[in-house]
Amino acid sequence: MVSEAYRELASTARVHTHLTTVATRYARERLADIAENRGVPVSSTPEVLFVCVHNAGRSQMAAALLHHHAQGKVAVRSAGSAPAETVNPAVVEVMNELGLDLSQEFPKKLTTDAVEAADVVITMGCGDACPIFPGKRYLDWELADPAGQGVDAVRPIRDDIDQRVRALLAELVPEAAQ
């Protein structure tokens, strides 16, 4: 699984400095998905998957914001059907303004296992399609695309996502949203 993850990430990575570490983390996530799908409970924590085609902007912001606000009470993932090489620099910058560091994040490939393991799957208004499994909650958040935008245009997108994330957290884990 680690070799497969490494090959997949290496095919689009421009920088290979930490690729082994990143591939190991990605493989761990994939293995957890497979275990969950085979009925081996990995956690009772609700899992949310944010999906956007390139996994370089909206889905990365949503994942970081939910992870921050949930404080471990929700497992958070993001992925895309055609991952970009890196996270959008303007997205990294506006998240840094909130003290959230996305510099170690990387766009990840959407897998059927990830969708099947999630409790809630949220597409970001980007037209990406996910496999449909019974018992999952599917949402589509219509959001502006930060691709090619400067930080002044990305801030309102970030703030919109933050409001939606907080509302979702209040539904999933009311005591965490305090």
Side-chain angles (χ1 to χ4, degrees), residues 90-149:
V91 166
V92 173
E93 189 172 336
V94 299
M95 296 304 284
N96 275 336
E97 293 173 357
L98 299 179
L100 301 175
D101 181 11
L102 294 185
S103 66
Q104 299 302 308
E105 293 301 323
F106 59 97
K108 295 166 276 311
K109 180 93 173 130
L110 177 65
T111 65
T112 302
D113 292 326
V115 176
E116 195 171 7
D119 298 301
V120 180
V121 179
I122 302 172
T123 53
M124 312 302 287
C126 51
D128 216 347
C130 297
I132 304 295
F133 293 99
K136 308 290 174 206
R137 181 176 174 197
Y138 292 88
L139 301 171
D140 184 49
W141 291 353
E142 287 292 329
L143 297 160
D145 188 354
Q149 303 292 327

Side-chain angles (χ1 to χ4, degrees), residues 25-172:
R25 189 170 112 203
Y26 182 46
R28 187 179 311 118
E29 290 176 357
R30 299 266 327 267
L31 288 168
D33 291 342
I34 292 166
E36 186 77 32
N37 296 336
R38 292 188 178 160
V40 179
V42 177
S43 170
S44 61
T45 304
E47 184 166 328
V48 176
L49 174 64
F50 292 102
V51 178
C52 195
V53 174
H54 300 298
N55 189 222
R58 295 168 282 197
S59 55
Q60 290 282 349
M61 286 190 285
L65 288 162
L66 182 56
H67 178 77
H68 171 73
H69 294 310
Q71 300 177 355
K73 292 182 174 74
V74 176
V76 184
R77 307 272 293 289
S78 68
S81 58
E85 291 181 9
T86 61
V87 176
N88 179 326
V91 166
V92 173
E93 189 172 336
V94 299
M95 296 304 284
N96 275 336
E97 293 173 357
L98 299 179
L100 301 175
D101 181 11
L102 294 185
S103 66
Q104 299 302 308
E105 293 301 323
F106 59 97
K108 295 166 276 311
K109 180 93 173 130
L110 177 65
T111 65
T112 302
D113 292 326
V115 176
E116 195 171 7
D119 298 301
V120 180
V121 179
I122 302 172
T123 53
M124 312 302 287
C126 51
D128 216 347
C130 297
I132 304 295
F133 293 99
K136 308 290 174 206
R137 181 176 174 197
Y138 292 88
L139 301 171
D140 184 49
W141 291 353
E142 287 292 329
L143 297 160
D145 188 354
Q149 303 292 327
V151 294
D152 290 336
V154 176
R155 277 188 201 103
I157 300 168
R158 175 203 61 199
D159 295 343
D160 184 7
I161 292 170
D162 191 39
Q163 289 177 345
R164 294 170 190 248
V165 159
R166 288 173 188 260
L168 177 67
L169 181 59
E171 292 176 30
L172 294 175

